């Protein structure tokens, strides 16, 4: 489903491409020769196996440098057609991408090829009087303009689809690969030099370094995926240990993300807080079952045992190198704003912001969940308890944001029900909010 604003945006990009398409025929088609088809074939090979971005938010490939090189040596019109036709990939040709997106991608890559060649010509670049010193700047400018144009169109589309600002989308999905792209700039210059010396056929040689670049992209994505899998492995172990604690942790993570968004934090930071919320009780995997699942309130000595779970959780996450916000959520979520919490009696701003957010929603979910020794409290009662804890247990500023969110959203009813474990029989005996 495409939002209306996204459809309008895609239509504008496609209309711009249509104008360039008509213009390319009006000025003549002398650029259509055997060299055109050599570049078209090389771009098609480079683009055929794209890399799928996380969460299915489009794909990336390594064909852009070759498209830019083609637009420089054959002209903007040739670059437009090579970008539009040569970048058709396996996913699009097999129907795995919806046709509106395929059409947008054709326009996008066509425009990338055109702006690259146009920038080169506009800055005085010329193959006829090519000198290495003189042409470096036009070639680099063509690369930069093409990269920014391509990235801008893609980021704009994802921003409209996900209702996120442009910077968050770029940082979340593309910042990690930007350096790798700019490293490929010398490759474009080398393609142009090789073309001037030996013509179009040697351009196929550059498929080798482009394949290496693709391998680097895949490796970077695998590293990101391994991080996500590490988080999921921890959650799976928690679920195996205690179904209720797992459901509680999933809800806390979800609520924490909603509250972080409501406070105006970036989407990237909100997602990190969600992970921290999900793993805040991971230390309970090391708690004895007879205490964790005791069908009554805990005795003093049992409470002391349970109070070890924050530091144990921190040690587990540190071993897996899940540090920063995620580890802080596990270690500090029982600290109190007035300094009377545990395990380190941190006070006020000494407690990380992300953990102060988690503490509020952790307590809220504990109160709105059924316990073996009491029924779940109503949303409004839990909200009043949170309000009462401002300045002592909780950061007053975060409480204010939570109260504002709670005016329009009954988290326990509207959001907590998304997690099936809320409906499962609760385990006997938890002792304290969280």
């Amino acid at each position: 489903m495409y939002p209306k604003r996204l459809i309008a945006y895609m239509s504008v990009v496609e209309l711009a491409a249509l104008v360039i398409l008509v213009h390319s025929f009006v000025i003549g088609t002398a650029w259509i020769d055997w060299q055109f088809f050599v570049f078209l074939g090389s771009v098609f090979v480079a683009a055929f196996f794209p890399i799928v971005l996380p969460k299915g938010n489009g794909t990336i490939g390594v064909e852009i440098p070759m498209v830019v090189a083609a637009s420089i040596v054959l002209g903007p019109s040739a670059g437009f057609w090579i970008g539009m036709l040569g970048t058709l990939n396996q996913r699009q040709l097999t129907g795995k991408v919806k046709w509106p997106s395929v059409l947008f991608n054709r326009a996008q890559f066509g425009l990338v090829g055109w702006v690259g060649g146009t920038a080169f010509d506009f800055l005085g670049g010329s193959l006829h009087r090519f000198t290495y010193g003189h042409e470096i700047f036009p070639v680099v400018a063509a690369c930069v303009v093409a990269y920014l144009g391509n990235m801008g169109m893609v980021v704009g589309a994802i921003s409209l689809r996900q209702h996120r600002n442009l910077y968050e989308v770029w940082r979340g999905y593309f910042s990690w690969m930007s350096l790798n792209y700019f490293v490929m700039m010398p490759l474009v210059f080398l393609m142009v030099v090789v073309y001037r010396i030996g013509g179009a056929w040697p351009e196929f040689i550059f498929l080798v370094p482009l394949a290496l670049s693709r391998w680097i992209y895949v490796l970077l994505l695998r590293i990101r995926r391994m991080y996500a899998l590490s988080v999921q492995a921890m959650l799976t172990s928690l679920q195996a240990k205690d179904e209720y604690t797992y459901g509680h942790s999933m809800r806390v993570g979800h609520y924490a993300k909603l509250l972080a968004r409501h406070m105006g934090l970036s989407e990237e930071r909100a997602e990190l807080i969600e992970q921290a919320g999900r793993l805040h009780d991971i230390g309970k995997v090391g708690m004895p079952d007879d205490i964790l699942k005791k069908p009554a309130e805990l005795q003093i000595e049992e409470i002391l045992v349970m109070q070890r779970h924050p530091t144990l959780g921190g040690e587990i996450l540190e071993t897996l190198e899940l540090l920063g916000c995620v580890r802080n959520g596990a270690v500090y979520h029982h600290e109190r704003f007035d300094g009377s919490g545990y395990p380190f009696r941190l006070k006020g701003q000494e407690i990380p912001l992300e953990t102060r957010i988690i503490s509020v929603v952790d307590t809220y979910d504990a109160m709105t969940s059924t316990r073996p020794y009491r029924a779940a409290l109503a949303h409004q009662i839990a909200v009043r308890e949170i309000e009462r804890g401002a300045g002592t247990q909780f950061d007053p500023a975060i409480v204010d944001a939570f109260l504002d969110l709670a005016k329009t959203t009954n988290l326990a009813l509207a959001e907590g029900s998304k997690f099936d474990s809320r409906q499962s029989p609760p385990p006997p005996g938890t002792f304290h909010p969280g």
Side-chain angles (χ1 to χ4, degrees), residues 132-311:
Y132 298 149
H134 180 269
E135 305 306 323
I136 286 179
F137 178 69
V139 170
V140 169
C143 292
V144 172
V145 169
Y147 169 75
L148 294 179
N150 179 59
M151 193 61 59
M153 285 184 281
V154 174
V155 168
I158 296 177
S159 173
L160 290 172
R161 185 172 68 189
Q162 296 186 351
H163 306 288
R164 296 168 59 181
N165 69 57
L166 297 174
Y167 175 73
E168 288 177 5
V169 172
W170 174 81
R171 185 169 180 179
Y173 294 108
F174 300 103
S175 61
W176 56 273
M177 69 179 189
S178 297
L179 179 61
N180 192 45
Y181 180 85
F182 283 110
V183 167
M184 289 194 290
M185 280 186 183
L187 192 61
V188 176
F189 188 81
L190 190 57
M191 288 179 190
V192 175
V193 171
V194 168
Y195 173 83
R196 188 170 181 273
I197 296 172
W201 288 113
E203 298 297 319
F204 278 105
I205 297 173
F206 292 98
L207 290 175
V208 175
L210 289 174
L212 177 60
S213 178
R214 184 188 184 280
W215 178 80
I216 293 173
Y217 281 145
V218 171
L219 183 61
L220 290 172
L221 277 175
R222 284 180 178 173
I223 292 172
R224 292 165 65 90
R225 196 170 292 124
M226 285 300 295
Y227 176 86
L229 289 175
S230 296
V231 172
Q232 187 56 49
M234 289 293 94
L235 291 173
T236 301
S237 67
L238 184 61
Q239 185 176 24
K241 176 72 173 182
D242 181 16
E243 185 71 28
Y244 176 79
T245 302
Y246 168 79
H248 163 71
S249 298
M250 295 296 289
R251 291 191 298 274
V252 168
H254 184 59
Y255 298 162
K257 179 174 70 172
L258 294 177
L259 182 54
R261 284 175 175 171
H262 190 74
M263 293 172 61
L265 301 184
S266 70
E267 184 66 19
E268 183 182 24
R269 195 171 182 184
E271 290 181 355
L272 195 59
I273 292 172
E274 179 183 33
Q275 289 184 359
R278 288 180 173 182
L279 292 172
H280 79 284
D281 266 345
I282 193 63
K284 289 185 178 178
V285 299
M287 296 296 102
D289 282 351
D290 60 340
I291 295 179
L292 183 62
K293 300 180 180 182
K294 183 178 179 180
E297 292 192 66
L298 303 181
Q299 302 299 314
I300 295 297
E301 62 275 10
E302 293 170 327
I303 290 177
L304 293 175
V305 172
M306 281 295 290
Q307 286 183 345
R308 298 174 189 168
H309 81 271
T311 51

Side-chain angles (χ1 to χ4, degrees), residues 48 88-97 102:
F48 196 69
L88 275 167
N89 59 48
Q90 175 259 345
R91 286 173 54 82
Q92 294 171 347
L93 292 173
T94 55
K96 295 179 180 178
V97 180
V102 174

Side-chain angles (χ1 to χ4, degrees), residues 319-330:
T319 300
L320 294 172
E321 297 188 5
L322 299 177
L323 306 176
C325 169
V326 176
R327 179 181 177 277
N328 290 343

